Amino acid sequence: MRRQGTVCAVLLAAALTTGCEQASGGAPVGFEETSTGYGELFLGPGECSTRGRDFREVPCGSERAVARVLTRFAGPPADGPVCPRTTDFVLHVSENRPAADEDGDGAVPRGYACMRNLQPPHPGDPGGGGGPYTVVGDCLYGSRKGQVKETACDGSGAERPEYRVVEAVERRSRCPASTDLYVELGGTKPVGCAHRL
């Protein structure tokens, strides 16, 4: 019997990068073009969900489907892989009313799903204004002293873009002399070199 679960959307605040690359057809690695249907794993790779207060798994052809699972990990985030760069948002999945509840909150963590919207906008794309990672092509604004946040490069976000990340390098000294802002990206090239717009 298939287990039911509920999910809570959590946008990752940390700026990370991954080694995932685009396949020659343009789809990210780990992305399945068709739904796998309802399987044993709630929101498994290639399956689709609704959006709202409670995320529900629905057939990808449904008019209620709004996002597809790129990848899914059934353990704690600290033990799992990072999401593909094209991820628009991350869902943390938990089971309600489980047989065993370690902290009495009524839910047991069951992993996370890396999600991609079926239709634009795609905040995870470079310049899209969101997603769990800051990547080359993203725009930023100063949210308070010493801190920047992503915003859409086309100006459609709540905040006007002030900087654009133009390059990712191994260390600050590799950034161009014209760099106005250094951004922490993580991964093998953890420094983002940003120019003022």
Side-chain angles (χ1 to χ4, degrees):
M1 182 176 179
R2 180 180 174 77
R3 285 190 173 268
Q4 293 296 316
T6 59
V7 290
C8 302
V10 178
L11 291 178
L12 301 179
L16 305 171
T17 60
T18 71
C20 297
E21 297 296 329
Q22 293 283 335
S24 59
V29 172
F31 181 82
E32 297 180 23
E33 292 295 335
T34 59
S35 174
T36 59
Y38 296 108
E40 288 298 313
L41 181 64
F42 177 71
L43 286 177
E47 293 177 343
C48 292
S49 77
T50 62
R51 185 173 280 171
R53 187 165 178 237
D54 292 322
F55 284 74
R56 303 276 184 215
E57 185 177 308
V58 294
C60 290
S62 166
E63 63 185 25
R64 295 178 55 216
V66 296
R68 184 186 306 264
V69 179
L70 296 175
T71 58
R72 172 80 154 80
F73 184 71
D79 296 341
V82 293
C83 289
R85 288 181 187 266
T86 55
T87 299
D88 287 329
F89 61 98
V90 178
L91 294 179
H92 290 271
V93 181
S94 62
E95 180 184 352
N96 282 337
R97 298 181 301 279
D101 182 357
E102 75 282 354
D103 62 5
D105 69 353
V108 172
R110 295 292 182 210
Y112 59 94
C114 308
M115 306 295 291
R116 174 98 172 153
N117 294 330
L118 294 176
Q119 301 292 325
H122 294 292
D125 286 352
Y133 310 111
T134 299
V135 297
V136 172
D138 278 342
C139 290
L140 311 163
Y141 71 96
S143 63
R144 60 182 181 183
K145 187 173 182 176
Q147 185 178 26
V148 294
K149 292 185 178 180
E150 284 188 49
T151 190
C153 289
D154 65 6
S156 64
E159 301 292 335
R160 184 180 61 80
E162 298 174 3
Y163 302 91
R164 183 188 298 263
V165 180
V166 296
E167 190 174 350
V169 295
E170 295 84 8
R171 53 185 178 275
R172 282 187 179 202
S173 62
R174 297 278 177 120
C175 282
S178 59
T179 298
D180 295 305
L181 178 72
Y182 302 98
V183 183
E184 184 179 333
L185 302 179
T188 58
K189 293 186 175 180
V191 178
C193 316
H195 291 173
R196 186 178 294 277
L197 297 173

